[in-house]
Amino acid sequence: MTDRSRTNSTPAVHATTPQLAPPPPSIAVLRSASLSSAAQHEIERMILEGDIKAGSKLTEAWLSERLGVSRGPIREAFRMLEEAGLVRQEKNRGVFVREIPLEEALEIFDLRAAMDELVGRRLAESITPEQLKTARGIVEKMDVAARAGNADAYHVLNLHFHDVLVEFAGNRKLAVMYRKLVKELALYRRRNLSDQDALPHSAAEHRAILKAIASGDAEHAGHAMYDHVIESKQRAVDGSVVKASQRTKASRPPASRKVRR
Protein backbone atom coordinates (compact mmCIF):
# COMPACT_ATOMS: atom_id res chain seq x y z
CA MET A 1 0.00 0.00 0.00
CA THR A 2 1.07 3.48 -0.66
CA ASP A 3 1.73 5.76 2.28
CA ARG A 4 -0.39 8.78 1.35
CA SER A 5 1.06 10.81 4.19
CA ARG A 6 4.11 11.27 2.06
CA THR A 7 4.16 13.40 -1.01
CA ASN A 8 6.60 13.33 -3.85
CA SER A 9 6.29 17.07 -4.39
CA THR A 10 8.75 19.46 -2.81
CA PRO A 11 7.70 22.85 -1.53
CA ALA A 12 8.00 25.59 -4.12
CA VAL A 13 10.79 28.08 -3.59
CA HIS A 14 9.83 31.64 -4.48
CA ALA A 15 13.00 33.41 -5.57
CA THR A 16 13.05 37.17 -5.12
CA THR A 17 14.98 39.40 -7.42
CA PRO A 18 17.36 41.63 -5.41
CA GLN A 19 16.81 45.35 -5.68
CA LEU A 20 19.60 46.78 -7.77
CA ALA A 21 21.15 50.12 -6.91
CA PRO A 22 20.73 52.87 -9.47
CA PRO A 23 23.45 52.66 -12.09
CA PRO A 24 26.41 54.92 -11.47
CA PRO A 25 27.06 57.85 -13.82
CA SER A 26 28.50 56.65 -17.08
CA ILE A 27 32.19 56.90 -17.69
CA ALA A 28 31.44 59.25 -20.57
CA VAL A 29 29.63 61.69 -18.28
CA LEU A 30 32.39 61.59 -15.68
CA ARG A 31 35.04 62.02 -18.33
CA SER A 32 33.18 64.96 -19.86
CA ALA A 33 32.83 66.65 -16.47
CA SER A 34 36.51 66.21 -15.67
CA LEU A 35 37.53 67.47 -19.11
CA SER A 36 35.34 70.55 -18.70
CA SER A 37 36.86 71.27 -15.30
CA ALA A 38 40.38 70.77 -16.62
CA ALA A 39 39.66 73.04 -19.60
CA GLN A 40 38.19 75.69 -17.31
CA HIS A 41 41.25 75.67 -15.03
CA GLU A 42 43.67 75.90 -17.95
CA ILE A 43 41.80 78.75 -19.69
CA GLU A 44 41.55 80.55 -16.34
CA ARG A 45 45.30 80.15 -15.86
CA MET A 46 46.00 81.60 -19.30
CA ILE A 47 43.75 84.58 -18.56
CA LEU A 48 45.14 85.31 -15.09
CA GLU A 49 48.77 84.91 -16.19
CA GLY A 50 48.26 87.21 -19.15
CA ASP A 51 48.62 84.66 -21.95
CA ILE A 52 45.13 85.70 -23.03
CA LYS A 53 44.54 89.44 -22.67
CA ALA A 54 41.44 91.21 -21.38
CA GLY A 55 39.08 91.94 -24.25
CA SER A 56 40.34 88.99 -26.33
CA LYS A 57 37.84 86.78 -28.13
CA LEU A 58 37.91 83.10 -27.18
CA THR A 59 37.15 80.60 -29.93
CA GLU A 60 36.13 76.99 -29.43
CA ALA A 61 38.21 75.79 -32.38
CA TRP A 62 41.47 77.35 -31.18
CA LEU A 63 41.06 76.26 -27.57
CA SER A 64 39.94 72.78 -28.60
CA GLU A 65 43.11 72.34 -30.60
CA ARG A 66 45.30 74.01 -27.96
CA LEU A 67 44.00 71.88 -25.07
CA GLY A 68 43.44 68.67 -27.02
CA VAL A 69 39.75 68.25 -26.14
CA SER A 70 36.51 68.37 -28.10
CA ARG A 71 34.36 71.49 -28.27
CA GLY A 72 31.77 70.21 -25.76
CA PRO A 73 34.05 70.59 -22.70
CA ILE A 74 35.21 73.98 -24.03
CA ARG A 75 31.61 75.24 -24.15
CA GLU A 76 31.00 74.01 -20.60
CA ALA A 77 34.27 75.68 -19.51
CA PHE A 78 32.99 78.97 -20.99
CA ARG A 79 29.85 78.67 -18.86
CA MET A 80 31.90 78.12 -15.68
CA LEU A 81 34.23 81.01 -16.53
CA GLU A 82 31.25 83.30 -17.06
CA GLU A 83 29.93 82.36 -13.61
CA ALA A 84 33.38 83.17 -12.21
CA GLY A 85 33.19 86.64 -13.76
CA LEU A 86 36.15 86.18 -16.09
CA VAL A 87 34.40 86.06 -19.48
CA ARG A 88 31.22 87.38 -21.06
CA GLN A 89 29.14 85.71 -23.75
CA GLU A 90 27.58 87.96 -26.39
CA LYS A 91 24.80 86.63 -28.59
CA ASN A 92 25.87 86.14 -32.21
CA ARG A 93 29.34 87.48 -31.38
CA GLY A 94 31.02 84.91 -29.17
CA VAL A 95 32.90 84.75 -25.89
CA PHE A 96 35.28 87.48 -24.70
CA VAL A 97 37.61 87.90 -21.73
CA ARG A 98 36.07 90.60 -19.55
CA GLU A 99 37.53 94.07 -19.31
CA ILE A 100 36.94 95.47 -15.83
CA PRO A 101 36.20 99.22 -15.84
CA LEU A 102 37.74 101.44 -13.17
CA GLU A 103 34.41 102.00 -11.40
CA GLU A 104 33.87 98.26 -10.90
CA ALA A 105 37.49 97.74 -9.87
CA LEU A 106 37.15 100.37 -7.13
CA GLU A 107 34.08 98.61 -5.74
CA ILE A 108 36.01 95.33 -5.64
CA PHE A 109 38.95 97.04 -3.91
CA ASP A 110 36.62 98.24 -1.13
CA LEU A 111 35.21 94.75 -0.58
CA ARG A 112 38.68 93.23 -0.65
CA ALA A 113 39.95 95.72 1.92
CA ALA A 114 37.27 94.64 4.40
CA MET A 115 37.94 90.95 3.77
CA ASP A 116 41.71 91.32 3.99
CA GLU A 117 41.43 93.16 7.29
CA LEU A 118 39.51 90.19 8.70
CA VAL A 119 42.09 87.76 7.30
CA GLY A 120 44.95 89.74 8.85
CA ARG A 121 43.29 89.78 12.26
CA ARG A 122 42.59 86.05 12.22
CA LEU A 123 46.07 85.09 11.06
CA ALA A 124 47.79 87.20 13.71
CA GLU A 125 46.00 85.06 16.28
CA SER A 126 46.18 81.66 14.61
CA ILE A 127 49.00 81.34 12.04
CA THR A 128 51.38 78.44 12.64
CA PRO A 129 55.18 78.54 12.24
CA GLU A 130 54.91 76.27 9.19
CA GLN A 131 52.30 78.53 7.57
CA LEU A 132 54.44 81.57 8.30
CA LYS A 133 57.39 79.87 6.65
CA THR A 134 55.31 79.18 3.53
CA ALA A 135 54.13 82.78 3.28
CA ARG A 136 57.66 84.09 3.87
CA GLY A 137 58.95 81.92 1.02
CA ILE A 138 56.46 83.48 -1.39
CA VAL A 139 57.38 87.01 -0.30
CA GLU A 140 61.07 86.25 -0.88
CA LYS A 141 60.26 85.15 -4.43
CA MET A 142 58.24 88.35 -4.90
CA ASP A 143 61.30 90.38 -3.87
CA VAL A 144 63.38 88.59 -6.49
CA ALA A 145 60.77 89.24 -9.20
CA ALA A 146 60.48 92.91 -8.17
CA ARG A 147 64.25 93.47 -8.31
CA ALA A 148 64.37 91.81 -11.74
CA GLY A 149 61.47 93.94 -12.96
CA ASN A 150 59.56 90.78 -13.90
CA ALA A 151 55.98 92.04 -13.67
CA ASP A 152 54.40 88.82 -14.98
CA ALA A 153 56.12 86.61 -12.40
CA TYR A 154 55.39 89.14 -9.66
CA HIS A 155 51.70 89.24 -10.55
CA VAL A 156 51.36 85.44 -10.28
CA LEU A 157 53.23 85.37 -6.95
CA ASN A 158 51.10 88.23 -5.63
CA LEU A 159 47.91 86.28 -6.35
CA HIS A 160 49.42 83.17 -4.76
CA PHE A 161 50.46 85.04 -1.61
CA HIS A 162 47.00 86.42 -0.90
CA ASP A 163 45.31 83.14 -1.81
CA VAL A 164 47.53 81.30 0.68
CA LEU A 165 46.71 83.79 3.44
CA VAL A 166 42.98 83.38 2.85
CA GLU A 167 43.38 79.60 2.89
CA PHE A 168 45.29 79.78 6.19
CA ALA A 169 42.52 81.93 7.72
CA GLY A 170 40.29 78.84 7.64
CA ASN A 171 36.98 80.44 6.60
CA ARG A 172 35.74 78.53 3.56
CA LYS A 173 32.84 80.86 2.74
CA LEU A 174 35.16 83.84 2.87
CA ALA A 175 37.67 82.03 0.64
CA VAL A 176 35.07 81.35 -2.08
CA MET A 177 33.86 84.96 -2.17
CA TYR A 178 37.38 86.35 -1.93
CA ARG A 179 38.76 84.27 -4.78
CA LYS A 180 35.98 85.30 -7.15
CA LEU A 181 36.62 88.98 -6.43
CA VAL A 182 40.40 88.61 -6.73
CA LYS A 183 40.13 86.88 -10.10
CA GLU A 184 37.89 89.63 -11.45
CA LEU A 185 40.19 92.29 -10.07
CA ALA A 186 43.21 90.55 -11.61
CA LEU A 187 41.85 91.44 -15.06
CA TYR A 188 42.21 95.10 -14.10
CA ARG A 189 45.32 95.00 -11.92
CA ARG A 190 47.63 93.48 -14.51
CA ARG A 191 47.63 96.87 -16.23
CA ASN A 192 48.86 98.54 -13.04
CA LEU A 193 51.40 95.96 -11.86
CA SER A 194 52.90 95.99 -15.35
CA ASP A 195 54.45 99.28 -14.26
CA GLN A 196 57.87 98.10 -13.08
CA ASP A 197 58.33 101.18 -10.87
CA ALA A 198 55.42 100.01 -8.68
CA LEU A 199 56.89 96.57 -7.97
CA PRO A 200 59.44 97.48 -5.23
CA HIS A 201 56.83 99.49 -3.32
CA SER A 202 54.31 96.65 -3.57
CA ALA A 203 56.93 94.13 -2.41
CA ALA A 204 57.73 96.30 0.62
CA GLU A 205 54.03 96.35 1.54
CA HIS A 206 53.92 92.56 1.49
CA ARG A 207 56.95 92.34 3.76
CA ALA A 208 55.21 94.71 6.17
CA ILE A 209 52.05 92.57 6.09
CA LEU A 210 54.01 89.44 6.94
CA LYS A 211 55.85 91.21 9.76
CA ALA A 212 52.56 92.46 11.23
CA ILE A 213 50.99 89.00 11.12
CA ALA A 214 54.09 87.43 12.70
CA SER A 215 53.93 89.97 15.55
CA GLY A 216 50.67 88.45 16.78
CA ASP A 217 49.05 91.90 17.03
CA ALA A 218 45.62 91.39 15.45
CA GLU A 219 44.80 95.08 15.15
CA HIS A 220 48.16 95.92 13.56
CA ALA A 221 47.92 92.99 11.11
CA GLY A 222 44.37 93.92 10.16
CA HIS A 223 45.36 97.53 9.48
CA ALA A 224 48.39 96.43 7.43
CA MET A 225 46.22 94.26 5.19
CA TYR A 226 43.53 96.94 4.86
CA ASP A 227 46.02 99.72 4.10
CA HIS A 228 47.72 97.57 1.46
CA VAL A 229 44.49 97.17 -0.49
CA ILE A 230 43.61 100.86 -0.18
CA GLU A 231 47.11 101.76 -1.43
CA SER A 232 46.53 99.47 -4.41
CA LYS A 233 43.20 101.15 -5.01
CA GLN A 234 44.86 104.58 -5.05
CA ARG A 235 47.51 103.35 -7.48
CA ALA A 236 44.73 102.16 -9.74
CA VAL A 237 43.11 105.60 -9.67
CA ASP A 238 46.43 107.38 -10.27
CA GLY A 239 47.30 105.01 -13.10
CA SER A 240 43.95 105.61 -14.73
CA VAL A 241 44.44 109.39 -14.59
CA VAL A 242 47.90 109.14 -16.14
CA LYS A 243 46.72 106.89 -18.94
CA ALA A 244 43.76 109.13 -19.68
CA SER A 245 46.15 112.09 -19.92
CA GLN A 246 48.43 110.15 -22.25
CA ARG A 247 45.53 109.21 -24.51
CA THR A 248 44.42 112.85 -24.65
CA LYS A 249 47.89 114.01 -25.66
CA ALA A 250 48.18 111.28 -28.28
CA SER A 251 44.85 112.25 -29.84
CA ARG A 252 45.80 115.90 -30.27
CA PRO A 253 46.99 116.90 -33.75
CA PRO A 254 50.58 118.12 -33.90
CA ALA A 255 50.94 121.88 -33.56
CA SER A 256 51.57 123.55 -36.90
CA ARG A 257 54.72 125.56 -37.20
CA LYS A 258 54.61 129.09 -38.48
CA VAL A 259 56.81 129.65 -41.46
CA ARG A 260 58.96 132.74 -41.18
CA ARG A 261 59.22 134.91 -44.24
Side-chain angles (χ1 to χ4, degrees):
M1 294 179 64
T2 304
D3 186 356
R4 298 180 182 276
S5 63
R6 294 184 181 181
T7 176
N8 293 328
S9 61
T10 56
V13 177
H14 299 284
T16 57
T17 304
Q19 294 294 320
L20 298 178
S26 69
I27 296 299
V29 171
L30 291 174
R31 185 169 182 270
S32 176
S34 63
L35 284 176
S36 299
S37 179
Q40 182 245 330
H41 285 302
E42 180 58 18
I43 298 169
E44 180 179 293
R45 182 198 66 76
M46 290 191 287
I47 291 172
L48 295 179
E49 293 186 6
D51 296 335
I52 303 176
K53 306 297 183 185
S56 299
K57 184 176 182 178
L58 302 177
T59 62
E60 292 179 10
W62 180 77
L63 286 167
S64 177
E65 183 178 354
R66 170 77 180 263
L67 303 183
V69 298
S70 63
R71 296 193 182 191
I74 298 296
R75 284 192 291 271
E76 179 62 17
F78 286 165
R79 185 191 65 78
M80 292 188 284
L81 289 167
E82 185 174 32
E83 288 182 356
L86 294 180
V87 306
R88 70 179 192 280
Q89 300 199 45
E90 297 185 10
K91 190 175 181 180
N92 300 325
R93 292 197 65 220
V95 180
F96 298 83
V97 179
R98 286 189 65 208
E99 293 182 283
I100 305 295
L102 176 63
E103 294 75 17
E104 183 177 350
L106 297 183
E107 292 176 351
I108 297 174
F109 273 120
D110 288 339
L111 288 173
R112 256 203 67 189
M115 290 181 174
D116 271 326
E117 182 175 8
L118 175 60
V119 168
R121 287 178 176 275
R122 292 194 66 160
L123 289 180
E125 298 171 344
S126 65
I127 197 166
T128 67
E130 191 62 31
Q131 291 172 337
L132 199 59
K133 181 180 178 181
T134 299
R136 185 171 288 115
I138 300 171
V139 169
E140 289 171 355
K141 291 178 182 178
M142 292 173 74
D143 283 334
V144 172
R147 287 194 296 270
N150 190 338
D152 287 335
Y154 187 89
H155 177 74
V156 173
L157 289 166
N158 180 47
L159 290 176
H160 184 42
F161 175 77
H162 287 284
D163 190 75
V164 162
L165 293 189
V166 170
E167 184 70 25
F168 289 164
N171 187 318
R172 286 177 294 178
K173 288 288 186 182
L174 173 66
V176 171
M177 295 171 61
Y178 185 90
R179 284 168 178 156
K180 182 178 186 300
L181 291 174
V182 165
K183 288 173 184 177
E184 289 181 300
L185 192 57
L187 297 175
Y188 182 88
R189 293 195 71 206
R190 285 195 66 87
R191 292 179 289 177
N192 295 286
L193 285 178
S194 61
D195 181 3
Q196 294 181 0
D197 294 337
L199 299 184
H201 183 70
S202 176
E205 289 179 358
H206 287 84
R207 289 195 300 273
I209 286 171
L210 201 57
K211 184 177 180 180
I213 290 173
S215 73
D217 186 332
E219 184 173 358
H220 180 39
H223 284 318
M225 293 281 280
Y226 180 89
D227 291 344
H228 167 65
V229 179
I230 296 304
E231 285 277 346
S232 299
K233 175 184 176 182
Q234 188 58 51
R235 283 196 291 269
V237 172
D238 294 342
S240 178
V241 171
V242 170
K243 288 180 180 179
S245 176
Q246 290 173 342
R247 285 194 297 268
T248 300
K249 290 179 180 178
S251 63
R252 290 175 183 170
S256 57
R257 294 182 178 180
K258 293 182 180 180
V259 179
R260 293 184 179 180
R261 294 183 179 179

